[in-house]
Amino acid sequence: MKAAVVGLGYAGLPLAIRLSQLNFDVLGIDINTRKISKLKSGKLPFAKDEPNLEKYFKTEYKRGKLLFTTSFQEISTQDLIFINVDTPISSINLNYSSLKSALRSISPNIKKNTIVIIESTIAPKTCDSIIKPLIIKYSNLHVNKEFFIVHAPERIRPKYIFKQLTTLPRVIGISSKKIKSKILNIYSQITKGEVDIVDIVTAEVVKTTENANRDVNIAFSNEIAVACEELKVNVWDVRELINKAPLRDMHAPGAGVGGHCIPKDSLLLARSVKNSKMNLIKSSRNINNSMPLHMFILARNALKKLGKNIEEANVTILGYSFVENSDDYRNSPSQSLLRILDKYKIKYRVNDPYIEKYKNNIYEILKSSDCMLLMVGHRQYKKLDFNKIAKIMSTKIIIDGRNAFARKSLEKKGFIYQGIGNV
């Protein structure tokens, strides 16, 4: 079969590679000309540290079943069109501009009996209210007679992209039972996990609820962590003891929640309903959004105890991506922290071994630093030479947002240690 994948990001490109492995003829489409140029030259534009992804990409590209373009006209020869574009959210509105643009671009070119598969995460009822009407308008085709819609939300996260793509179960919504066996066959090849075929709205709700559940659980842990700071109790000890009991799973607190999914998916769910207030979900989102500010407050208070003003301090931020050992920085908590530092005109430097802009010498940027804030637990940070760091920092303050460092060891070296839930 012939398949087009629209949107070659962290979800779309791995899917295109996987389809090529399954001997689909794959056309990858993206409006980013630089990305397409790099892919055409046989180079992976991102996620180079992702296990096996670069190797699989180069193998499939050499086989010639994986082609790339910025043009949507060739979609007219494809049987399947997978859409994997961003669906971000602002504090005010859902932003479906990329999704709508993709739909307007593909629809005039699709042939009869094409199956349009939306892998992007969307709010419940979006297929009915936005996707179906747009395709009908720009294609002049009839849904479930001349084209079909599928919602197959992706389930991947950095560091595990290809493993999760090929092993996790999938929940897939279809617009008509006519395509059930075909979609079941396709996704049973993509993943070894169980494939459940449901109606489209159920698939939309399952995906957004799945990430809302994670958001709420993390927010609970963050709220307990802040309470433990006031009670002078180590939240990490509390968590360990709680999780010894059966059926307990207290999540890890931290400096914030980032990524393309969790910060928005719970709000996609909340904003899909009018009568249900969804107060727990909204409150959880606010708690998790507040954690970068909490890191700032911990740093400010630690400096204040030494008679230093944070406005006059040199601050070093470790980690800019949203998750450890990855170059994915979408909605990262560090971005929120930097906005706070900019607001107060505080001098800061950033290090991240996975982000090109911040691949500097960590010891160089720590020279004369008054405070180190660890935002991401990259493996490189766990190998730092703190004897060396103790000699070059002006004020030896460490704010640990990921419980990555051993407090007692650092305090023996003369550092002042503050951590989330551990002050």
Side-chain angles (χ1 to χ4, degrees):
M1 294 184 75
K2 292 184 176 182
V5 179
V6 179
L8 300 173
Y10 286 85
L13 182 58
L15 174 64
I17 295 168
R18 179 59 176 161
L19 291 170
S20 176
Q21 289 179 332
L22 298 170
N23 286 316
F24 285 75
D25 292 312
V26 185
L27 180 67
I29 303 176
D30 201 290
I31 61 173
N32 186 323
T33 54
R34 289 182 63 186
K35 183 188 294 183
I36 292 297
S37 177
K38 203 155 191 177
L39 289 168
K40 281 184 173 181
S41 68
K43 296 178 182 178
L44 199 65
F46 53 83
K48 294 177 183 178
D49 293 288
E50 191 69 35
N52 296 316
L53 190 63
E54 189 167 23
K55 178 178 72 174
Y56 293 157
F57 165 68
K58 289 182 176 180
T59 299
E60 294 309 308
Y61 188 61
K62 286 178 182 177
R63 288 209 312 139
K65 296 184 76 65
L66 186 57
L67 304 176
F68 301 103
T69 182
T70 58
S71 170
F72 287 84
Q73 292 181 348
E74 295 177 58
I75 276 179
S76 60
T77 64
Q78 308 301 301
D79 306 297
L80 306 167
I81 302 173
F82 295 83
I83 297 182
N84 290 74
V85 298
D86 285 348
T87 53
I89 190 169
S90 69
S91 59
I92 302 172
N93 297 309
L94 306 180
N95 184 352
Y96 285 148
S97 58
S98 294
L99 177 62
K100 291 177 180 178
S101 177
L103 293 169
R104 285 192 292 265
S105 296
I106 69 163
S107 296
N109 300 299
I110 63 176
K111 64 180 182 180
K112 289 185 179 180
N113 297 317
T114 296
I115 301 175
V116 179
I117 303 168
I118 310 296
E119 288 216 339
S120 304
T121 303
I122 50 180
K125 299 287 184 78
T126 299
C127 276
D128 281 340
S129 64
I130 294 177
I131 293 167
K132 181 169 70 175
L134 274 176
I135 298 176
I136 292 171
K137 178 180 179 180
Y138 289 99
S139 70
N140 290 316
L141 298 177
H142 295 89
V143 68
N144 296 332
K145 292 182 179 179
E146 297 171 300
F147 79 93
F148 301 90
I149 298 174
V150 171
H151 181 44
E154 50 83 10
R155 268 181 171 163
I156 57 171
R157 63 187 293 254
K159 301 183 298 175
Y160 308 96
I161 290 177
F162 218 84
K163 181 180 179 181
Q164 292 184 336
L165 173 64
T166 57
T167 62
L168 288 186
R170 299 292 291 269
V171 178
I172 300 172
I174 57 176
S175 63
S176 169
K177 292 182 179 179
K178 295 177 186 176
I179 59 171
K180 180 177 179 178
S181 61
K182 181 178 285 188
I183 292 300
L184 186 60
N185 176 55
I186 291 167
Y187 275 92
S188 294
Q189 293 180 68
I190 291 173
T191 181
K192 296 176 184 177
E194 184 177 355
V195 178
D196 290 297
I197 305 295
V198 297
D199 64 274
I200 283 180
V201 179
T202 297
E204 291 170 327
V205 172
V206 167
K207 172 61 177 180
T208 49
T209 301
E210 178 180 325
N211 282 331
N213 175 266
R214 291 174 64 200
D215 205 23
V216 168
N217 280 298
I218 295 169
F220 171 80
S221 297
N222 282 332
E223 191 162 58
I224 295 300
V226 175
C228 284
E229 291 173 16
E230 182 179 340
L231 297 168
K232 307 300 180 189
V233 172
N234 187 339
V235 72
W236 300 96
D237 292 340
V238 170
R239 176 175 179 258
E240 181 182 357
L241 293 167
I242 286 173
N243 288 346
K244 284 184 177 182
L247 305 178
R248 307 293 189 270
D249 183 22
M250 182 176 169
H251 287 38
V257 179
H260 185 55
C261 294
I262 294 182
K264 72 175 177 68
D265 289 1
S266 55
L267 293 180
L268 289 176
L269 175 62
R271 293 184 182 187
S272 70
V273 294
K274 295 180 180 178
N275 296 327
S276 301
K277 293 184 179 180
M278 310 292 271
N279 290 332
L280 178 60
I281 285 176
K282 292 174 184 175
S283 177
S284 297
R285 189 85 295 278
N286 289 335
I287 290 169
N288 289 335
N289 276 340
S290 73
M291 295 312 290
L293 175 61
H294 188 67
M295 287 287 289
F296 171 80
I297 291 169
L298 288 177
R300 185 188 63 190
N301 291 347
L303 285 161
K304 191 175 181 180
K305 286 179 181 178
L306 297 179
K308 290 181 176 287
N309 252 325
I310 194 168
E311 288 82 1
E312 298 168 356
N314 292 312
V315 175
T316 303
I317 312 300
L318 299 193
Y320 189 77
S321 65
F322 88 85
V323 67
E324 65 270 15
N325 310 321
S326 169
D327 64 358
D328 191 345
Y329 57 85
R330 290 175 294 177
N331 299 316
S332 76
S334 294
Q335 292 176 344
S336 298
L337 176 61
L338 296 193
R339 284 193 289 269
I340 295 167
L341 297 176
D342 285 334
K343 178 182 176 181
Y344 290 97
K345 298 181 180 178
I346 294 164
K347 290 177 286 186
Y348 63 82
R349 289 171 289 190
V350 182
N351 172 273
D352 193 303
Y354 297 91
I355 311 284
E356 199 62 42
K357 182 179 178 181
Y358 298 119
K359 286 182 179 179
N360 44 48
N361 185 308
I362 191 167
Y363 298 105
E364 285 296 321
I365 68 167
L366 279 169
K367 281 182 181 177
S368 303
S369 177
D370 295 299
C371 185
M372 173 204 296
L373 286 87
L374 180 88
M375 295 295 290
V376 190
H378 292 316
R379 58 176 172 264
Q380 290 87 342
Y381 297 151
K382 296 172 185 178
K383 300 176 183 178
L384 290 174
D385 184 346
F386 283 101
N387 289 320
K388 183 176 180 179
I389 292 171
K391 295 175 182 177
I392 59 178
M393 286 185 72
S394 291
T395 310
K396 293 184 288 185
I397 295 175
I398 293 177
I399 310 298
D400 187 351
R402 300 295 172 185
N403 197 40
F405 304 138
R407 177 175 191 155
K408 290 181 180 179
S409 174
L410 290 176
E411 288 179 339
K412 285 180 181 178
K413 299 179 192 300
F415 287 95
I416 293 171
Y417 177 96
Q418 304 272 276
I420 296 289
N422 183 15
V423 298

